[in-house]
């Protein structure tokens, strides 16, 4: 079976977490509270809206809380302007194409968000699959989204690499048996490694990224 590269979206392909935080606080203000970046990192980043609803809006009940979060997603999409990929990403995708390595996106973001971001980055055609966690029986941190990405690409977990920026996503990738690169866009490299990242980098220009992929290809 072949190798594949599987990428999370927010904080991994593009730095959009600050927009998500602003959108959450816009809606949370209606309910009398705000969250800071530390709370966002601990309780929101990388998690599906069902989990966020249970953690931060339990008093509303599931349906009402999810309705609030749907409005948050609309607010976020309205905030998205010009987007730039994390440094080195496009070069890595070019290199993967030259090596014949298929790439996919595996995210807990709603499909509308993911498609908006990929279109804004001009990267829609660079990925052979887009896996949306909430469209499956289990979202991250369950490994099912990554297992689904591997299955769709016909790839072997032991030869494939995932790229993540959140503990939830890292747990999902490791649970699927993937080698893991942590993107230290929101969390320190030490934290990423503490959650099991094989390497933690600030962006895709770090030579360890291709070295790790090459090592997996040779496995």
């Amino acid at each position: 079976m072949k190798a594949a590269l599987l990428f999370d979206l927010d904080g991994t392909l593009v730095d959009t977490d600050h927009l998500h935080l602003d959108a959450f606080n816009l809606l949370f203000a209606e309910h009398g509270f705000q969250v800071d970046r530390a709370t966002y990192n601990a309780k929101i980043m990388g998690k599906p809206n069902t989990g966020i609803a249970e953690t931060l809006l339990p008093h509303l009940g599931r349906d009402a809380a999810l309705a609030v979060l749907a409005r948050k997603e609309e607010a976020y999409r309205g905030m998205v302007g010009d987007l730039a990929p994390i440094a080195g990403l496009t070069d890595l995708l070019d290199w993967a194409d030259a090596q014949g390595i298929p790439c996919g996106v595996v995210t807990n973001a709603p499909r509308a968000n993911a498609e908006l971001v990929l279109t804004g980055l001009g990267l829609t055609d660079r990925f052979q699959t887009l896996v949306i966690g909430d469209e499956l029986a289990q979202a991250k941190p369950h490994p099912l989204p990554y297992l689904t990405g591997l299955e769709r690409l016909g790839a072997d977990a032991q030869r494939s690499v995932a790229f993540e920026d959140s503990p939830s996503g890292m747990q999902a990738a490791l649970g699927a048996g993937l080698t893991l690169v942590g993107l230290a866009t929101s969390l320190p490299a030490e934290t990423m490694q503490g959650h099991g990242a094989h390497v933690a980098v600030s962006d895709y220009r770090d030579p360890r990224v291709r070295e790790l992929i090459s090592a997996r290809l040779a496995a």
Side-chain angles (χ1 to χ4, degrees):
M1 296 180 73
K2 61 189 176 185
L5 305 183
L6 295 172
F7 298 82
D8 176 52
L9 183 74
D10 293 300
T12 303
L13 297 183
V14 61
D15 185 6
T16 47
D17 282 324
H18 62 289
L19 298 178
H20 283 288
L21 179 58
D22 289 345
F24 275 113
N25 279 330
L26 181 67
L27 272 296
F28 288 161
E30 298 177 2
H31 298 273
F33 72 98
Q34 299 279 270
V35 295
D36 58 18
R37 187 56 187 259
T39 302
Y40 174 87
N41 287 352
K43 297 185 177 182
I44 294 176
M45 184 175 68
K47 297 182 180 178
N49 277 346
T50 50
I52 297 168
E54 293 171 0
T55 300
L56 295 176
L57 298 169
H59 56 288
L60 295 182
R62 185 179 187 277
D63 290 345
L66 289 177
V68 170
L69 295 179
R71 291 176 57 212
K72 172 264 161 182
E73 302 298 359
E74 292 177 5
Y76 161 76
R77 290 192 289 273
M79 294 176 180
V80 173
D82 293 335
L83 297 173
I86 299 295
L89 173 63
T90 303
D91 288 342
L92 177 62
L93 295 176
D94 289 342
W95 179 81
D97 283 345
Q99 302 293 319
I101 305 171
C103 298
V105 174
V106 180
T107 178
N108 276 346
R111 181 169 290 276
N113 290 17
E115 291 178 346
L116 175 67
V117 168
L118 291 174
T119 298
L121 292 172
L123 296 177
T124 300
D125 295 335
R126 304 302 301 271
F127 298 102
Q128 285 72 59
T129 190
L130 171 58
V131 180
I132 304 297
D134 277 344
E135 295 178 357
L136 304 176
Q138 298 282 350
K140 301 176 194 176
H142 195 281
L144 179 60
Y146 276 109
L147 293 171
T148 300
L150 289 167
E151 181 180 11
R152 289 181 182 177
L153 296 176
D156 178 8
Q158 292 185 345
R159 303 189 68 215
S160 300
V161 178
F163 300 84
E164 274 286 354
D165 72 313
S166 72
S168 174
M170 288 188 282
Q171 181 180 338
L174 293 171
L178 289 153
T179 297
L180 175 62
V181 174
L183 269 293
T185 51
S186 296
L187 300 175
E190 296 79 8
T191 301
M192 312 294 288
Q193 291 171 325
H195 282 281
H198 296 85
V199 297
V201 301
S202 59
D203 61 49
Y204 296 98
R205 296 174 295 184
D206 192 308
R208 293 176 295 167
V209 172
R210 296 191 196 185
E211 289 171 3
L212 187 63
I213 297 169
S214 297
R216 294 298 89 204
L217 291 175

